[in-house]
Amino acid sequence: TPNGHHAMQQQQQQQQNPLRPHTSQQYYDEDEINENLYYQNHSGSQQTAHQHGGNMYLNMRQSTDQTNTTLNHNNNKATRTNGAGSGGGVSKQREFLRFYHSINFGGKQEIYYDKIAEFEYNDIEKMMELDRDILTEEFEMSMEHAALFMSKINKFKRKHLQFKKWLVEQLKLRRYFVKFVNEGILTFDILLTRFQSYHDLVPLIGDKNINDAKLIFKKLPKSVRDN
């Protein structure tokens, strides 16, 4: 792995060595500090930091029209990079784009995305394998941006685990877990962004499973429904 030296990174990429994900490290204790410090430094406002620290998908629901243009602009690039023609691959890429564009990297937004897509991490599931070493050494993110990105990823991972536990252990609907993951549905936020009611979920899980669709919406945690 390169030691942050630009020339060595370029040489490694020219040799087209495969990227090997590092063992993920947990930075949960630092997440809130990193995120709030970043937005305070760039906005000069604690209020702005608090707003950015809120639920990323709740914010996205309120600005869907503004983000659709960006998503559509990058979707062909994501599909072309990963070679996914249709189905779950594209769904996971589009969910990554929604996630990625909820974070403000300033003038580096597209530069970072291109590096992430080059190594096929522009996928909402595969994204969870990233760590700071990959972000800073392979994708040449600044330490500040890498800390911000990792704080968002770690929050997402916790939400994913909550969603999985609810679906598999509480509802006993393990049979849908892989299908949901393949469609990029990894958290409650994504589920409710994509599906407004059990009627919308039926085409995905099948007409014969309509009772399961009803159960999923009926048993949503109160905290999720209130949001």
Side-chain angles (χ1 to χ4, degrees):
T1 305
N3 251 338
H5 193 283
H6 186 64
M8 292 178 68
Q9 291 177 332
Q10 287 183 332
Q11 181 180 2
Q12 183 186 32
Q13 292 177 359
Q14 288 170 358
Q15 294 172 348
Q16 297 182 342
N17 289 335
L19 178 62
R20 295 182 178 179
H22 301 268
T23 301
S24 295
Q25 302 177 28
Q26 305 303 318
Y27 299 99
Y28 295 161
D29 293 339
E30 303 176 18
D31 290 349
E32 293 296 335
I33 297 173
N34 288 332
E35 186 173 345
N36 288 334
L37 282 177
Y38 174 82
Y39 284 112
Q40 287 177 35
N41 290 339
H42 287 75
S43 68
S45 167
Q46 295 222 359
Q47 180 180 4
T48 302
H50 176 72
Q51 290 171 346
H52 280 282
N55 186 301
M56 58 191 170
Y57 277 96
L58 180 61
N59 291 337
M60 279 172 20
R61 285 183 217 166
Q62 298 171 349
S63 61
T64 299
D65 291 340
Q66 297 176 4
T67 60
N68 275 343
T69 300
T70 305
L71 295 176
N72 290 334
H73 172 75
N74 285 311
N75 190 49
N76 287 338
K77 181 192 296 184
T79 303
R80 185 169 57 251
T81 302
N82 282 358
S86 61
V90 172
S91 295
K92 290 196 288 185
Q93 291 164 9
R94 287 186 65 84
E95 289 303 334
F96 173 81
L97 286 170
R98 291 181 189 278
F99 176 87
Y100 181 77
H101 286 294
S102 71
I103 309 171
N104 181 11
F105 293 118
K108 295 287 191 176
Q109 198 84 20
E110 292 301 316
I111 295 174
Y112 291 158
Y113 177 82
D114 287 342
K115 290 181 179 294
I116 292 169
E118 179 182 355
F119 292 105
E120 300 185 358
Y121 279 94
N122 56 331
D123 175 304
I124 197 67
E125 181 186 14
K126 190 171 175 61
M127 170 195 78
M128 293 189 287
E129 300 174 9
L130 290 170
D131 62 32
R132 287 200 216 188
D133 289 340
I134 295 176
L135 296 179
T136 57
E137 297 177 6
E138 304 293 349
F139 302 157
E140 299 180 349
M141 276 193 178
S142 68
M143 292 297 295
E144 193 174 29
H145 283 161
L148 175 64
F149 198 19
M150 284 308 306
S151 75
K152 293 287 191 178
I153 291 175
N154 286 334
K155 285 182 180 180
F156 182 89
K157 288 164 73 172
R158 293 196 294 272
K159 290 183 177 183
H160 171 57
L161 290 177
Q162 291 170 356
F163 178 74
K164 178 180 180 180
K165 184 175 181 179
W166 170 79
L167 184 69
V168 173
E169 298 181 13
Q170 183 175 333
L171 299 190
K172 309 297 183 185
L173 295 177
R174 177 180 293 274
R175 58 187 173 278
Y176 298 124
F177 179 69
V178 173
K179 180 183 288 290
F180 280 9
V181 169
N182 288 340
E183 289 295 326
I185 306 166
L186 276 68
T187 67
F188 290 111
D189 299 309
I190 298 177
L191 176 71
L192 294 179
T193 298
R194 298 262 293 271
F195 307 102
Q196 302 303 310
S197 73
Y198 76 86
H199 297 286
D200 302 323
L201 190 55
V202 170
L204 177 63
I205 67 175
D207 293 338
K208 65 180 181 180
N209 299 314
I210 187 171
N211 288 335
D212 289 340
K214 290 180 179 179
L215 179 66
I216 287 171
F217 272 82
K218 181 180 179 180
K219 295 296 185 179
L220 284 170
K222 186 177 184 298
S223 58
V224 173
R225 294 197 304 268
D226 290 346
N227 284 336

